[in-house]
Amino acid sequence: MFIRNLVEWYDWFAYATFSIYFASVFFPEGDQTAQLLSTAVVFAVGFFMRPLGGWLLGAYADRFGRRSALTLSVTLMSAGSLTIAFAPGHDAIGLWAPALLVLARLAQGLSVGGEFGSSASYLSEVAPAGRRGFYSSFQYVSIVLGQLAALLVAIVLQNVLTEDQLHGWGWRIPFVIGAVAGLVVMYLRRTMEESEHFEQERARTAAQRPEERERKGLVALFAEYPRQLLAVFGLAIGGTVAFYTYTTYLQKYLVNTAGIPKATVTLIGFAALFVYMLMQPAVGALSDRIGRRPVMFAFSGGCMLLTVPLMTLLGRTSSPWIAFLLMVVALTFVTGYSALAAIIKAEMFPTKVRALGVGLPHALVTATFGGLTEPIALALKDAGQENLFFWYVTGCVGLTFLATLLVREPSRDSQLDTADAPLAPQRPKTAPLV
């Protein structure tokens, strides 16, 4: 499961990592900021497909199984990478070049939209009681390791190819790697075991008489779990914006604002993300001991206080070491969200709607907030108001702080489907939400 997620997220982040090299191939007009803004908009287009992926693949996973949904998602991701790898540039086919780029990102956005909910459901369902935070933290370990893999490929290519070669054709190599690896993962996912929780739910549903059948899908989700959906939306907003600010966008920020060379920024990002990845299981295990709320409050409270000063200092430094240390500080707080992002949401829903309940609202948030993080940041820079972006991030994290107030801790040893829904406050003597 871990390797499979890694490859899929490598494909997703390869676009963000190498966009500084192929921006001029698909969008030749304008200065560097304008070209990066164009590729960032296409990056956002992929995000807008994520709600559709969260809905379709989430419902598919709840009906046909986590394994089937995860196999389908990696197939879509590989197809997108293959398209980007062999797409001709603007000089060869004109406007068809950016059109192919958009088409590829649409397929990848559909894939990632369904990936999160299915993976979060699977990890939470195979984890033993009392260790679900630790197990589910590997969701973001695979996400970050996928990003590190993309950065490692960039480091290797930067050292074996010239700048002109990277801009000319070298940027296509990582997408070929992603497409080939995706074919291997597609085979591996066909051999993975289905979660016991899903098998039990399928058997329970099959044993029901027609008049006993429960509602499922979107109807059940919106009718029976509206408060859970609201909580997931709130939790995801600040975490998603902070994650994309301090991972994908920060590398462009260090190049475009701080003026640090691209190759140096790649090394800074790789080292900081490696430290960030190692923190995920530790923080996930910590949440199993002290609860989800304290860890989530540490993330939201810390980022609310530190985002403006950290981003200001990062934009003014020319020292790679200072940039690295500041990036690690920021990512340390972001770990409080990412290590819990899967489990704190999965614990709110029963098996029958878990993948859809986690995947759909998460995908909607990443589409509207995560996908627009870079375009908003670059547009404000282009308008000479870059500091307003720092306050935007702070405000989004504040929404997560408020949503955390709704979270109620489940019993440490409770079963996933029998635990009281982790929402607060709750009236006494009422049926649990889950």
Side-chain angles (χ1 to χ4, degrees):
M1 180 69 181
F2 178 81
I3 295 176
R4 297 156 190 159
N5 282 354
L6 185 162
V7 171
E8 191 155 0
W9 286 103
Y10 162 84
D11 284 339
W12 178 256
F13 285 116
Y15 181 97
T17 303
F18 285 89
S19 63
I20 56 177
Y21 293 108
F22 66 71
S24 60
V25 175
F26 293 94
F27 305 97
E29 302 297 330
D31 59 15
Q32 177 176 263
T33 298
Q35 291 170 346
L36 289 175
L37 181 57
S38 296
T39 56
V41 169
V42 177
F43 190 63
V45 166
F47 277 84
F48 291 134
M49 284 296 286
R50 291 177 70 162
L52 183 60
W55 171 35
L56 295 178
L57 293 182
Y60 186 85
D62 287 331
R63 183 168 183 177
F64 298 105
R66 317 318 188 197
R67 178 180 62 186
S68 297
L70 290 169
T71 301
L72 179 57
S73 70
V74 77
T75 303
L76 290 169
M77 182 63 73
S78 296
S81 289
L82 196 63
T83 300
I84 297 174
F86 294 102
H90 189 278
D91 290 345
I93 59 173
L95 292 177
W96 285 106
L100 282 175
L101 190 64
V102 169
L103 181 64
R105 292 302 293 175
L106 290 177
Q108 292 185 323
L110 190 68
S111 167
V112 173
E115 173 75 19
F116 188 88
S118 300
S119 294
S121 298
Y122 187 83
L123 288 170
S124 65
E125 289 167 1
V126 300
R131 300 199 70 194
R132 290 196 293 262
F134 173 75
Y135 272 60
S136 296
S137 69
F138 283 90
Q139 172 91 340
Y140 265 82
V141 171
S142 64
I143 291 174
V144 176
L145 194 54
Q147 189 169 2
L148 286 174
L151 286 174
L152 181 60
V153 172
I155 291 171
V156 172
L157 292 178
Q158 286 168 348
N159 282 276
V160 300
L161 299 178
T162 66
E163 188 83 359
D164 288 342
Q165 288 173 328
L166 277 170
H167 281 277
W169 55 267
W171 60 267
R172 297 181 185 273
I173 295 174
F175 295 103
V176 173
I177 293 172
V180 173
L183 294 176
V184 176
V185 169
M186 185 168 58
Y187 171 76
L188 292 175
R189 282 193 167 170
R190 291 172 60 87
T191 62
M192 68 185 286
E193 294 183 3
E194 187 56 81
S195 84
E196 186 177 346
H197 277 266
F198 176 78
E199 295 289 9
Q200 291 174 350
E201 173 64 20
R202 179 155 55 185
R204 186 185 69 84
T205 301
Q208 291 177 332
R209 294 191 298 270
E211 63 272 16
E212 296 174 335
R213 294 286 168 84
E214 299 173 339
R215 292 180 298 187
K216 293 188 176 183
L218 281 178
V219 174
L221 188 64
F222 283 96
E224 300 174 23
Y225 307 99
R227 286 187 290 169
Q228 286 90 333
L229 284 172
L230 181 63
V232 172
F233 273 114
L235 290 169
I237 288 172
T240 298
V241 171
F243 175 78
Y244 282 102
T245 296
Y246 289 117
T247 55
T248 58
Y249 174 66
L250 191 59
Q251 295 176 61
K252 296 178 180 64
Y253 179 71
L254 291 175
V255 171
N256 215 22
T257 298
I260 299 176
K262 294 175 184 177
T264 303
V265 168
T266 302
L267 291 172
I268 292 170
F270 184 89
L273 287 172
F274 184 79
V275 175
Y276 174 59
M277 178 190 68
L278 295 179
M279 290 189 285
Q280 305 300 313
V283 174
L286 179 66
S287 77
D288 286 328
R289 295 181 62 85
I290 69 173
R292 318 295 186 212
R293 280 165 56 96
V295 177
M296 195 63 72
F297 276 131
F299 152 69
S300 53
C303 284
M304 286 171 64
L305 292 173
L306 294 176
T307 290
V308 173
L310 278 176
M311 291 297 289
T312 302
L313 290 172
L314 281 164
R316 295 176 179 176
T317 186
S318 59
S319 168
W321 287 105
I322 293 177
F324 166 74
L325 291 174
L326 292 175
M327 189 173 180
V328 168
V329 170
L331 290 174
T332 299
F333 285 97
V334 176
T335 304
Y337 168 78
S338 57
L340 276 62
I343 189 59
I344 200 170
K345 299 165 188 173
E347 286 176 332
M348 294 183 186
F349 301 97
T351 302
K352 68 174 185 177
V353 293
R354 182 169 294 122
L356 182 60
V358 174
L360 179 59
H362 179 86
L364 284 168
V365 169
T366 52
T368 54
F369 289 88
L372 290 175
T373 297
E374 286 194 20
I376 288 174
L378 290 167
L380 288 173
K381 176 179 176 58
D382 212 28
Q385 300 293 329
E386 192 169 32
N387 64 312
L388 292 181
F389 174 70
F390 313 155
W391 290 104
Y392 167 76
V393 176
T394 301
C396 289
V397 173
L399 295 177
T400 297
F401 183 90
L402 295 176
T404 306
L405 297 173
L406 296 173
V407 175
R408 187 163 65 92
E409 303 288 353
S411 171
R412 184 176 184 274
D413 298 321
S414 63
Q415 296 300 313
L416 191 61
D417 277 350
T418 59
D420 290 340
L423 292 177
Q426 216 180 25
R427 296 175 184 173
K429 297 183 180 179
T430 58
L433 291 172
V434 180

